[in-house]
Amino acid sequence: MLVVVCTSLLLLLAVCSGARYRAPSPGPWVIPTVGEPWPKPQQLVNYEGYVVVRPTVFTFEVTREDCDLIQEAMKRYYRVVLQTLDRGIQKRTSRRAADKRWRKDSRFKAYLDSLEIQLMAPCEVLPYLHMDEHYELRINSPDLPGAALLTSQSVWGILRGMETFTQLLWLDETGTALKVNSSAIMDFPRYPHRGLLLDTSRHFFPLPAILQMLDAMEANKMNVFHWHIVDDNSFPYESAAFPQLSKKGAYNPRTHVYTRIQIRLVIEYARLRGIRVLPEFDSPGHTQSWGLGLPGLLTPCYSGSKPDGTYGPVDPIQETSYKFLQKFLAEAVELFPEKYIHLGGDEVDFDCWASNSDILRFMESHNITGDFSKLEEIYIQRLVNTASNLSASSLVWQEVFDNGVILPQDTVVHIWKGDMQKELAKLPMQK
């Protein structure tokens, strides 16, 4: 699914930009920017001149509210400042000679030896949907000559502003210091949910790779790690209540499992970067690996009057299925501090249900004979209610909404196929 979307976007960009074939030539086709933030901020004003940051002298100074999020960010970004000069670049000019050269440059305005950080309200602990990420950053602006100030009402805005500040740094041609354009920035995100989905069931990613991905998300100011942690292919999630799920369902129970300690590490690593960790446990489909560790969970498929040895989605007519899900989700809600939990609900194959005589008798007794979407609705409705009873909000794929499941007001529907505008038109008007 992701490959198709990405390919379509590339084709669309090529058409919209009037892209044409270019004969090979030395150098990049697109000249990279120097000292510019990413993504493009809401407002950016560049003033005349630049200031120089000397990494060994530079400091971050917190003058208002403070907390672990800011302190950890200061350590992180100070390493970024230092590493800029630590990448094998041989300094071609001494600092004294560079100082003389800068002072001869009319665009040189001052040395910038600190960034003042002013958080105007107490720190929040966990990132969340619709958190305030607004910030303002001024560097040698007319009202702040020779200085730099980052302000925000929220610690999440402070984190985004510190990322922007380090993106503004560019290496001086002398190789001894960093320049920053005199500028003023006001920024806030256009979208409150800016996520990246990682499927660790089909392709297991070791822990260092996930942490590296979170670093990349921070650099791009993304704020949701959608962790599609399990699926048909494998079950790498360690459950304390149901350890057999990963022991039987993982590619390798020793090397391809995320322990609860590792999961907590990922959650904390993301939290310090203002990133929510949204777990997805997709059902009733996409659950073949679940059945390996929990016999009786999946629906037995039949060929005629006899089981054919294969299994379909979660069995929606067994009370044992819902008892398992209640206990399993309760554990997940306790482990993941995120308010939302993704319950899936997409791509349910009805063929197995249609072959099972117990399923068919259940449907007849509930006056839904032949309507397997209604059977799925019964399952999902109980699943969503279970999440609500655990004080968790649900996020579901669009098939759940399309099938008419009654969803709580705070449910988020993930639209991924068809005409998005038609899907949005189905939504009830907010009162």
Side-chain angles (χ1 to χ4, degrees):
M1 182 176 68
L2 290 176
V3 173
V4 173
V5 171
C6 290
T7 303
S8 300
L9 285 173
L10 288 173
L11 289 174
L12 180 63
L13 288 171
V15 171
C16 292
S17 62
R20 299 177 181 176
Y21 172 75
R22 294 186 58 169
S25 59
W29 285 8
V30 177
I31 304 301
T33 58
V34 176
E36 297 288 343
W38 174 263
K40 184 178 180 180
Q42 298 286 340
Q43 293 180 14
L44 168 61
V45 178
N46 283 321
Y47 301 107
E48 177 64 27
Y50 63 86
V51 292
V52 169
V53 172
R54 298 169 291 185
T56 55
V57 177
F58 180 81
T59 60
F60 293 104
E61 294 182 359
V62 179
T63 57
R64 296 289 292 264
E65 298 287 339
D66 197 2
C67 63
D68 63 329
L69 288 160
I70 295 178
Q71 288 298 315
E72 289 299 317
M74 288 167 57
K75 295 175 186 176
R76 235 172 21 251
Y77 288 113
Y78 187 61
R79 287 196 296 269
V80 172
V81 173
L82 288 178
Q83 287 171 1
T84 308
L85 297 180
D86 245 357
R87 297 175 182 169
I89 300 171
Q90 185 174 359
K91 297 170 184 173
R92 298 179 293 274
T93 311
S94 69
R95 292 194 185 279
R96 184 173 298 178
D99 182 71
K100 291 181 179 179
R101 179 174 177 177
W102 291 324
R103 294 191 182 281
K104 290 179 180 179
D105 185 351
S106 61
R107 299 190 70 249
F108 170 75
K109 300 302 179 183
Y111 286 115
L112 181 66
D113 292 338
S114 67
L115 170 64
E116 183 180 354
I117 297 172
Q118 289 190 355
L119 172 59
M120 312 307 289
C123 279
E124 295 172 307
V125 177
L126 294 170
Y128 55 93
L129 183 63
H130 298 300
M131 60 186 172
D132 180 10
E133 297 174 84
H134 177 282
Y135 68 89
E136 295 185 14
L137 175 63
R138 290 176 288 160
I139 301 170
N140 192 48
S141 55
D143 60 337
L144 202 67
L149 175 64
L150 169 63
T151 60
S152 179
Q153 294 292 326
S154 164
V155 67
W156 317 116
I158 293 294
L159 296 185
R160 305 300 176 237
M162 293 180 75
E163 177 63 40
T164 292
F165 177 78
T166 57
Q167 291 174 347
L168 296 175
L169 303 174
W170 49 287
L171 189 64
D172 175 73
E173 55 272 16
T174 66
T176 62
L178 302 164
K179 289 182 178 179
V180 188
N181 290 324
S182 303
S183 55
I185 293 174
M186 186 282 292
D187 197 18
F188 56 88
R190 182 177 179 185
Y191 301 105
H193 181 120
R194 305 179 305 283
L196 186 147
L197 184 155
L198 186 68
D199 184 336
T200 57
S201 171
R202 294 175 176 88
H203 305 280
F204 182 85
F205 286 78
L207 181 63
I210 293 178
L211 300 184
Q212 187 177 36
M213 181 205 68
L214 291 171
D215 287 335
M217 290 180 65
E218 178 183 41
N220 287 276
K221 302 187 177 79
M222 302 180 79
N223 65 0
V224 181
F225 170 31
H226 179 168
W227 197 349
H228 189 90
I229 194 167
V230 298
D231 208 291
D232 282 328
N233 308 75
S234 73
F235 198 102
Y237 167 77
E238 181 186 68
S239 167
F242 303 97
Q244 291 300 310
L245 289 172
S246 59
K247 288 182 179 178
K248 299 291 186 180
Y251 286 139
N252 186 309
R254 290 193 181 93
T255 62
H256 287 58
V257 171
Y258 302 108
T259 67
R260 295 171 67 78
I261 292 175
Q262 290 175 324
I263 291 170
R264 289 191 180 99
L265 190 155
V266 168
I267 292 169
E268 177 64 6
Y269 198 90
R271 181 188 77 89
L272 292 174
R273 288 153 180 78
I275 298 171
R276 300 158 53 203
V277 179
L278 172 67
E280 179 180 357
F281 299 100
D282 195 353
S283 73
H286 293 273
T287 50
Q288 289 298 299
S289 67
W290 303 38
L292 299 176
L294 198 67
L297 177 65
L298 305 184
T299 305
C301 306
Y302 281 72
S303 179
S305 60
K306 297 181 179 179
D308 64 8
T310 64
Y311 296 88
V314 172
D315 193 330
I317 69 171
Q318 301 297 331
E319 282 302 313
T320 53
S321 298
Y322 300 104
K323 290 179 181 178
F324 156 74
L325 289 165
Q326 198 283 331
K327 190 172 183 179
F328 179 81
L329 291 178
E331 179 185 55
V333 168
E334 183 276 329
L335 179 60
F336 291 89
E338 166 61 31
K339 175 185 176 182
Y340 282 87
I341 186 167
H342 204 309
L343 301 176
D346 66 321
E347 298 180 319
V348 180
D349 187 347
F350 297 148
D351 290 344
C352 184
W353 283 352
S355 74
N356 187 297
S357 58
D358 291 336
I359 296 282
L360 297 179
R361 280 193 293 272
F362 175 90
M363 295 177 69
E364 183 179 3
S365 68
H366 286 74
N367 297 317
I368 57 171
T369 299
D371 192 346
F372 292 97
S373 291
K374 283 294 182 183
L375 179 61
E376 182 186 5
E377 179 185 339
I378 291 173
Y379 172 87
I380 293 292
Q381 192 70 68
R382 291 192 63 172
L383 189 62
V384 169
N385 291 344
T386 296
S388 295
N389 291 336
L390 293 169
S391 300
S393 298
S394 299
L395 200 151
V396 295
W397 294 110
Q398 76 180 72
E399 288 95 325
V400 173
F401 174 70
D402 290 343
N403 290 341
V405 175
I406 299 174
L407 299 170
Q409 285 294 317
D410 61 349
T411 303
V412 174
V413 178
H414 224 145
I415 298 174
W416 68 280
K417 63 179 183 177
D419 189 323
M420 184 176 293
Q421 294 305 317
K422 289 183 179 179
E423 286 292 324
L424 293 175
K426 298 177 186 177
L427 293 172
M429 296 295 292
Q430 292 185 349
K431 295 182 181 180

